[in-house]
Amino acid sequence: MTHKILIIDDEEKLRSLLARIVKSEGFEVLEAKDLKSGFKKLEQTDIDVVLCDVKLPDGNGVDFLQNIKGSFPLTEVILLTAFGNIADGVQAMKNGAFDYIVKGDDNDKIIPLLYKAVEKVHLQKKVQQLEKRIGDKYSFATIIGKSKGIEQVIDLAKKVAKTDSTVLLTGETGTGKEVFAQAIHENSTRAGKSFVALNCSTFSKEILESELFGHKQGAFTGALKDKKGFIEEANGGTLFLDEIGEMPIELQAKLLRVLETSEYIPVGDTTSKKSNFRLIAATNRDLKTESDAHRFRSDLYFRLNIFEIKLPPLRERVKDIAALTLSFVKQFSEKTNKKTLAISDDFLQKLESYSWPGNIRELKNIIERSVILSDILLTADVLPYEMQHQPEKASKTMSAFSMQSIEKLHIQKVLNYTKGNKAETARLLEIGIATLYRKLEEYGIQ
């Protein structure tokens, strides 16, 4: 790949000489005689490094540097001046110059500096590409599912992602809470900054406190040096606290203080620190019930519950099982160096009729096991015993006297009354719109 260098200098002979020297090193060179034409070339071509004179007919290169870095942050700028000026040099570096050199005195430095600047640009572009791939991996577009329940959840998550509000993700274990937390982060104004995840159920109270807030050397036995906590690591980015319902109640008060003041004190320290982070919390517990039973601080619960998103269990997303299965089959076929396996009807039927207590995580594990055991076709006989021998489900025909039958009939009547207006139907039934959609799907009401 040929790197492009732009030389901006109003002295034509000097500019041409410099261009020949730079071209002899294998670089592609563009030339401009003033700042206006130089900026136009920057807009038209992907320039890696700019060699720019300080004194030009239409302005000062030190000031112009800010325009370049503001519009083309990955482009590096080396400023050239006929007369060395310490104040200009200091200001140039503050404005983001790669270096500031004197013509004639520092000619030998130009080519080595160019190579260093080009190397920095190359590394910056690689980092940018990596960040984009990470962002793509955790975008909302990669969340698989077309069922009404998951589409509503994605819509809510997209709306809150643009804000800096605290988000509480609730739902059963394995429903994909961390995937949603990552997607919210990558679609927020904090994208590209740290995303730090901590599972509160993994550690004892003492270790969790140290992991969260950090500690000073000598704070406890084994604290051989200062340690940054996850709160400090998340500064500027997002802190994801999984299974927050498992956090010891003593630590909940400390976390609440951080959320209210942005200040915290590491274990064993006496000086407070500040951290600006966005909190996303997740739990499979009912924090309202836990709060009412005094097992979770009510003030922290209300602070966390600014925007709750409840993820539906997989058994309520039967329509999504086929798409999820296909995605996991592709993933694990590649991982095991196999051609993507075909999926038999009986295999998929067993998956769709299973109750999935472990949700998407359980489905993923089952597919990985099945791919390992299969060669060409995934069939029901590679599934675990309990999935192969599921009890037959009761007939979908309901008794006229059952509560389900009465509920189905009542929902149908209200739908007819509202002429199919689902929002009005949910209001009259005094239930949430998500609950109504779930019941329409469950009862097969069109």
Side-chain angles (χ1 to χ4, degrees):
M1 176 182 159
T2 304
H3 294 284
K4 295 183 176 66
I5 312 299
L6 171 63
I7 300 172
I8 307 176
D9 199 313
D10 60 327
E11 295 181 48
E12 188 175 349
K13 288 183 180 178
L14 183 60
R15 188 176 72 239
S16 298
L17 174 62
L18 195 53
R20 285 199 300 273
I21 294 170
V22 174
K23 280 179 184 176
S24 70
E25 294 292 324
F27 296 111
E28 183 181 334
V29 178
L30 292 86
E31 299 179 43
K33 64 181 181 179
D34 53 32
L35 299 178
K36 184 179 179 181
S37 58
F39 196 80
K40 192 169 184 179
K41 289 189 187 303
L42 280 161
E43 291 178 319
Q44 294 169 342
T45 311
D46 184 15
I47 303 293
D48 294 300
V49 182
V50 177
L51 287 169
C52 184
D53 192 12
V54 170
K55 302 294 183 184
L56 287 156
D58 56 346
N60 184 289
V62 176
D63 299 330
F64 182 62
L65 174 60
Q66 289 181 300
N67 294 341
I68 296 176
K69 297 303 285 186
S71 302
F72 313 98
L74 297 186
T75 299
E76 293 299 330
V77 182
I78 298 170
L79 288 172
L80 309 171
T81 180
F83 308 100
N85 181 305
I86 293 173
D88 272 357
V90 170
Q91 190 59 48
M93 301 310 284
K94 282 183 179 178
N95 289 0
F98 185 79
D99 212 330
Y100 178 91
I101 60 177
V102 179
K103 294 177 183 177
D105 295 348
D106 295 332
N107 281 353
D108 292 343
K109 292 182 180 179
I110 291 176
I111 297 304
L113 270 177
L114 269 180
Y115 277 108
K116 287 180 182 177
V118 162
E119 184 181 6
K120 183 180 177 184
V121 171
H122 180 64
L123 287 172
Q124 286 176 327
K125 286 182 177 179
K126 283 184 74 174
V127 169
Q128 189 182 61
Q129 288 167 1
L130 181 61
E131 287 175 346
K132 185 179 184 304
R133 284 202 296 271
I134 291 171
D136 290 344
K137 180 181 177 183
Y138 293 108
S139 71
F140 288 114
T142 62
I143 297 175
I144 297 168
K146 295 294 182 184
S147 60
K148 288 185 175 66
I150 201 66
E151 285 187 336
Q152 287 172 345
V153 166
I154 290 172
D155 186 52
L156 287 173
K158 282 180 178 178
K159 287 176 180 174
V160 78
K162 295 178 175 65
T163 74
D164 219 23
S165 297
T166 298
V167 180
L168 179 62
L169 299 171
T170 60
E172 297 175 11
T173 298
T175 49
K177 293 188 281 291
E178 184 162 357
V179 172
F180 268 86
Q182 283 269 18
I184 290 169
H185 170 73
E186 291 298 336
N187 288 270
S188 73
T189 56
R190 295 174 183 263
K193 304 290 178 63
S194 299
F195 176 86
V196 183
L198 179 64
N199 191 315
C200 299
S201 66
T202 308
F203 306 102
S204 65
K205 171 189 171 293
E206 291 73 20
I207 296 175
L208 180 59
E209 183 176 20
S210 171
E211 291 292 321
L212 197 54
F213 299 97
H215 64 247
K216 289 289 287 180
Q217 180 181 353
F220 50 84
T221 304
L224 303 178
K225 59 181 181 179
D226 291 358
K227 180 185 185 306
K228 282 185 179 181
F230 277 53
I231 286 174
E232 185 173 355
E233 294 283 1
N235 188 27
T238 300
L239 175 64
F240 174 55
L241 293 181
D242 201 3
E243 302 300 353
I244 198 167
E246 308 293 330
M247 179 178 282
I249 203 154
E250 301 92 334
L251 294 187
Q252 293 175 22
K254 291 188 72 173
L255 176 62
L256 180 63
R257 182 176 183 274
V258 180
L259 296 178
E260 291 179 341
T261 66
S262 299
E263 294 186 354
Y264 67 98
I265 301 175
V267 178
D269 203 350
T270 55
T271 307
S272 66
K273 293 186 173 184
K274 276 188 170 284
S275 181
N276 172 17
F277 62 91
R278 191 223 191 124
L279 179 68
I280 301 177
T283 182
N284 59 9
R285 291 190 177 194
D286 183 339
L287 291 189
K288 178 68 169 65
T289 301
E290 295 293 300
S291 170
D292 291 342
H294 306 293
R295 290 188 294 267
F296 195 88
R297 290 184 65 107
S298 58
D299 47 6
L300 179 57
Y301 166 66
F302 291 122
R303 184 65 180 74
L304 294 175
N305 198 35
I306 293 171
F307 198 98
E308 180 182 357
I309 300 177
K310 184 173 177 60
L311 303 190
L314 189 55
R315 62 181 173 274
E316 293 180 7
R317 299 177 52 193
V318 176
K319 289 181 179 178
D320 297 333
I321 289 176
L324 286 163
T325 299
L326 181 59
S327 175
F328 291 143
V329 168
K330 285 181 179 178
Q331 178 183 331
F332 293 117
S333 293
E334 289 174 8
K335 188 177 177 181
T336 54
N337 296 315
K338 294 180 178 181
K339 186 177 179 182
T340 301
L341 304 179
I343 303 168
S344 68
D345 290 341
D346 65 328
F347 182 85
L348 191 58
Q349 186 271 322
K350 292 291 184 186
L351 297 183
E352 290 181 337
S353 60
Y354 185 58
S355 59
W356 297 109
N359 294 293
I360 298 172
R361 187 180 296 129
E362 184 182 8
L363 173 63
K364 186 176 182 179
N365 292 342
I366 291 293
I367 299 303
E368 182 173 12
R369 175 185 184 276
S370 301
V371 168
I372 291 169
L373 293 174
S374 304
D375 292 319
I376 299 171
L377 181 68
L378 291 166
T379 56
D381 57 5
V382 297
L383 292 168
Y385 179 85
E386 66 272 16
M387 294 189 71
Q388 291 187 48
H389 301 88
Q390 296 175 56
E392 289 296 320
K393 286 189 174 179
S395 170
K396 289 188 178 179
T397 304
M398 294 179 285
S399 162
F401 301 103
S402 72
M403 287 297 294
Q404 283 186 318
S405 180
I406 294 167
E407 184 178 55
K408 177 181 178 181
L409 184 61
H410 184 58
I411 290 172
Q412 188 66 69
K413 281 182 177 178
V414 178
L415 260 178
N416 293 340
Y417 174 77
T418 63
K419 295 182 173 59
N421 186 322
K422 295 181 178 63
E424 179 65 9
T425 299
R427 188 187 71 78
L428 292 173
L429 290 169
E430 297 182 0
I431 60 175
I433 189 71
T435 303
L436 175 62
Y437 274 116
R438 190 165 63 248
K439 290 187 178 295
L440 294 177
E441 194 169 329
E442 180 183 343
Y443 295 139
I445 301 173
Q446 298 299 319

